[in-house]
mmCIF file of all heavy atoms in Angstrom:
data_model
loop_
_atom_site.group_PDB
_atom_site.id
_atom_site.type_symbol
_atom_site.label_atom_id
_atom_site.label_comp_id
_atom_site.label_asym_id
_atom_site.label_seq_id
_atom_site.Cartn_x
_atom_site.Cartn_y
_atom_site.Cartn_z
ATOM 1 N N VAL A 117 101.665 92.595 118.898
ATOM 2 C CA VAL A 117 102.085 93.651 119.821
ATOM 3 C C VAL A 117 101.233 94.879 119.538
ATOM 4 O O VAL A 117 101.344 95.482 118.463
ATOM 5 C CB VAL A 117 103.573 94.002 119.647
ATOM 6 C CG1 VAL A 117 103.969 95.130 120.597
ATOM 7 C CG2 VAL A 117 104.445 92.783 119.864
ATOM 8 N N PRO A 118 100.331 95.267 120.457
ATOM 9 C CA PRO A 118 99.484 96.435 120.209
ATOM 10 C C PRO A 118 100.314 97.721 120.221
ATOM 11 O O PRO A 118 101.117 97.943 121.136
ATOM 12 C CB PRO A 118 98.484 96.426 121.360
ATOM 13 C CG PRO A 118 98.781 95.244 122.189
ATOM 14 C CD PRO A 118 100.064 94.651 121.752
ATOM 15 N N LEU A 119 100.123 98.532 119.217
ATOM 16 C CA LEU A 119 100.768 99.840 119.150
ATOM 17 C C LEU A 119 99.652 100.881 119.090
ATOM 18 O O LEU A 119 98.910 100.945 118.112
ATOM 19 C CB LEU A 119 101.670 99.945 117.916
ATOM 20 C CG LEU A 119 102.557 101.182 117.826
ATOM 21 C CD1 LEU A 119 103.552 101.223 118.980
ATOM 22 C CD2 LEU A 119 103.304 101.219 116.498
ATOM 23 N N ILE A 120 99.513 101.656 120.150
ATOM 24 C CA ILE A 120 98.401 102.585 120.289
ATOM 25 C C ILE A 120 98.685 103.846 119.484
ATOM 26 O O ILE A 120 99.769 104.437 119.595
ATOM 27 C CB ILE A 120 98.164 102.927 121.771
ATOM 28 C CG1 ILE A 120 98.064 101.641 122.609
ATOM 29 C CG2 ILE A 120 96.921 103.781 121.933
ATOM 30 C CD1 ILE A 120 97.036 100.666 122.111
ATOM 31 N N LEU A 121 97.695 104.279 118.684
ATOM 32 C CA LEU A 121 97.884 105.382 117.739
ATOM 33 C C LEU A 121 96.915 106.526 118.048
ATOM 34 O O LEU A 121 95.791 106.553 117.537
ATOM 35 C CB LEU A 121 97.658 104.888 116.301
ATOM 36 C CG LEU A 121 98.435 103.632 115.878
ATOM 37 C CD1 LEU A 121 98.039 103.237 114.460
ATOM 38 C CD2 LEU A 121 99.939 103.855 115.988
ATOM 39 N N PRO A 122 97.310 107.505 118.873
ATOM 40 C CA PRO A 122 96.434 108.639 119.176
ATOM 41 C C PRO A 122 96.276 109.544 117.952
ATOM 42 O O PRO A 122 97.151 109.601 117.087
ATOM 43 C CB PRO A 122 97.164 109.373 120.301
ATOM 44 C CG PRO A 122 98.222 108.440 120.779
ATOM 45 C CD PRO A 122 98.572 107.568 119.623
ATOM 46 N N PHE A 123 95.166 110.276 117.914
ATOM 47 C CA PHE A 123 94.945 111.201 116.806
ATOM 48 C C PHE A 123 95.352 112.616 117.215
ATOM 49 O O PHE A 123 95.271 112.983 118.386
ATOM 50 C CB PHE A 123 93.484 111.169 116.356
ATOM 51 C CG PHE A 123 92.492 111.595 117.411
ATOM 52 C CD1 PHE A 123 92.099 112.922 117.540
ATOM 53 C CD2 PHE A 123 91.923 110.661 118.271
ATOM 54 C CE1 PHE A 123 91.186 113.313 118.503
ATOM 55 C CE2 PHE A 123 90.992 111.038 119.238
ATOM 56 C CZ PHE A 123 90.628 112.371 119.355
ATOM 57 N N PRO A 124 95.800 113.429 116.254
ATOM 58 C CA PRO A 124 96.192 114.800 116.581
ATOM 59 C C PRO A 124 94.989 115.724 116.624
ATOM 60 O O PRO A 124 93.983 115.498 115.939
ATOM 61 C CB PRO A 124 97.125 115.175 115.425
ATOM 62 C CG PRO A 124 96.579 114.414 114.258
ATOM 63 C CD PRO A 124 96.065 113.107 114.839
ATOM 64 N N ALA A 125 95.084 116.786 117.394
ATOM 65 C CA ALA A 125 94.004 117.767 117.464
ATOM 66 C C ALA A 125 93.996 118.674 116.231
ATOM 67 O O ALA A 125 92.956 119.199 115.845
ATOM 68 C CB ALA A 125 94.145 118.601 118.728
ATOM 69 N N LYS A 126 95.170 118.851 115.603
ATOM 70 C CA LYS A 126 95.301 119.779 114.483
ATOM 71 C C LYS A 126 95.304 119.009 113.160
ATOM 72 O O LYS A 126 96.066 118.068 112.978
ATOM 73 C CB LYS A 126 96.591 120.588 114.621
ATOM 74 C CG LYS A 126 96.654 121.419 115.905
ATOM 75 C CD LYS A 126 97.991 122.117 116.058
ATOM 76 C CE LYS A 126 98.059 122.903 117.353
ATOM 77 N NZ LYS A 126 99.402 123.524 117.539
ATOM 78 N N ALA A 127 94.455 119.447 112.238
ATOM 79 C CA ALA A 127 94.306 118.752 110.960
ATOM 80 C C ALA A 127 95.595 118.740 110.153
ATOM 81 O O ALA A 127 95.863 117.783 109.420
ATOM 82 C CB ALA A 127 93.178 119.392 110.153
ATOM 83 N N ASP A 128 96.416 119.789 110.272
ATOM 84 C CA ASP A 128 97.633 119.854 109.465
ATOM 85 C C ASP A 128 98.734 118.911 109.969
ATOM 86 O O ASP A 128 99.796 118.817 109.358
ATOM 87 C CB ASP A 128 98.170 121.282 109.373
ATOM 88 C CG ASP A 128 98.536 121.895 110.725
ATOM 89 O OD1 ASP A 128 98.433 121.201 111.766
ATOM 90 O OD2 ASP A 128 98.927 123.084 110.745
ATOM 91 N N GLN A 129 98.462 118.202 111.073
ATOM 92 C CA GLN A 129 99.421 117.218 111.586
ATOM 93 C C GLN A 129 99.074 115.787 111.174
ATOM 94 O O GLN A 129 99.853 114.867 111.418
ATOM 95 C CB GLN A 129 99.475 117.298 113.111
ATOM 96 C CG GLN A 129 99.986 118.633 113.642
ATOM 97 C CD GLN A 129 99.880 118.730 115.155
ATOM 98 O OE1 GLN A 129 99.015 118.113 115.771
ATOM 99 N NE2 GLN A 129 100.759 119.510 115.763
ATOM 100 N N ILE A 130 97.934 115.613 110.534
ATOM 101 C CA ILE A 130 97.453 114.261 110.225
ATOM 102 C C ILE A 130 98.382 113.542 109.256
ATOM 103 O O ILE A 130 98.775 112.394 109.486
ATOM 104 C CB ILE A 130 96.018 114.310 109.670
ATOM 105 C CG1 ILE A 130 95.041 114.679 110.784
ATOM 106 C CG2 ILE A 130 95.633 112.951 109.047
ATOM 107 C CD1 ILE A 130 93.606 114.826 110.314
ATOM 108 N N ASP A 131 98.753 114.180 108.158
ATOM 109 C CA ASP A 131 99.520 113.500 107.110
ATOM 110 C C ASP A 131 100.845 112.960 107.629
ATOM 111 O O ASP A 131 101.203 111.809 107.356
ATOM 112 C CB ASP A 131 99.760 114.444 105.931
ATOM 113 C CG ASP A 131 98.500 114.723 105.135
ATOM 114 O OD1 ASP A 131 97.503 113.999 105.319
ATOM 115 O OD2 ASP A 131 98.512 115.681 104.335
ATOM 116 N N ALA A 132 101.573 113.767 108.374
ATOM 117 C CA ALA A 132 102.873 113.335 108.883
ATOM 118 C C ALA A 132 102.715 112.197 109.888
ATOM 119 O O ALA A 132 103.508 111.241 109.886
ATOM 120 C CB ALA A 132 103.607 114.511 109.527
ATOM 121 N N LEU A 133 101.696 112.305 110.740
ATOM 122 C CA LEU A 133 101.499 111.269 111.751
ATOM 123 C C LEU A 133 101.064 109.957 111.101
ATOM 124 O O LEU A 133 101.548 108.877 111.481
ATOM 125 C CB LEU A 133 100.454 111.736 112.761
ATOM 126 C CG LEU A 133 100.349 110.927 114.059
ATOM 127 C CD1 LEU A 133 101.681 110.899 114.790
ATOM 128 C CD2 LEU A 133 99.273 111.506 114.968
ATOM 129 N N VAL A 134 100.177 110.029 110.128
ATOM 130 C CA VAL A 134 99.739 108.828 109.416
ATOM 131 C C VAL A 134 100.916 108.155 108.721
ATOM 132 O O VAL A 134 101.074 106.925 108.769
ATOM 133 C CB VAL A 134 98.637 109.175 108.396
ATOM 134 C CG1 VAL A 134 98.452 108.046 107.384
ATOM 135 C CG2 VAL A 134 97.327 109.458 109.113
ATOM 136 N N LYS A 135 101.760 108.937 108.077
ATOM 137 C CA LYS A 135 102.929 108.379 107.392
ATOM 138 C C LYS A 135 103.831 107.630 108.366
ATOM 139 O O LYS A 135 104.300 106.514 108.079
ATOM 140 C CB LYS A 135 103.710 109.492 106.693
ATOM 141 C CG LYS A 135 104.896 109.006 105.876
ATOM 142 C CD LYS A 135 105.581 110.160 105.171
ATOM 143 C CE LYS A 135 106.781 109.678 104.350
ATOM 144 N NZ LYS A 135 107.453 110.817 103.658
ATOM 145 N N ALA A 136 104.072 108.223 109.539
ATOM 146 C CA ALA A 136 104.925 107.580 110.542
ATOM 147 C C ALA A 136 104.258 106.336 111.115
ATOM 148 O O ALA A 136 104.913 105.296 111.317
ATOM 149 C CB ALA A 136 105.244 108.573 111.654
#
Side-chain angles (χ1 to χ4, degrees):
V117 178
L119 188 63
I120 309 306
L121 309 177
F123 62 90
K126 300 175 182 177
D128 60 3
Q129 296 174 332
I130 289 177
D131 289 346
L133 193 58
V134 164
K135 184 178 180 180

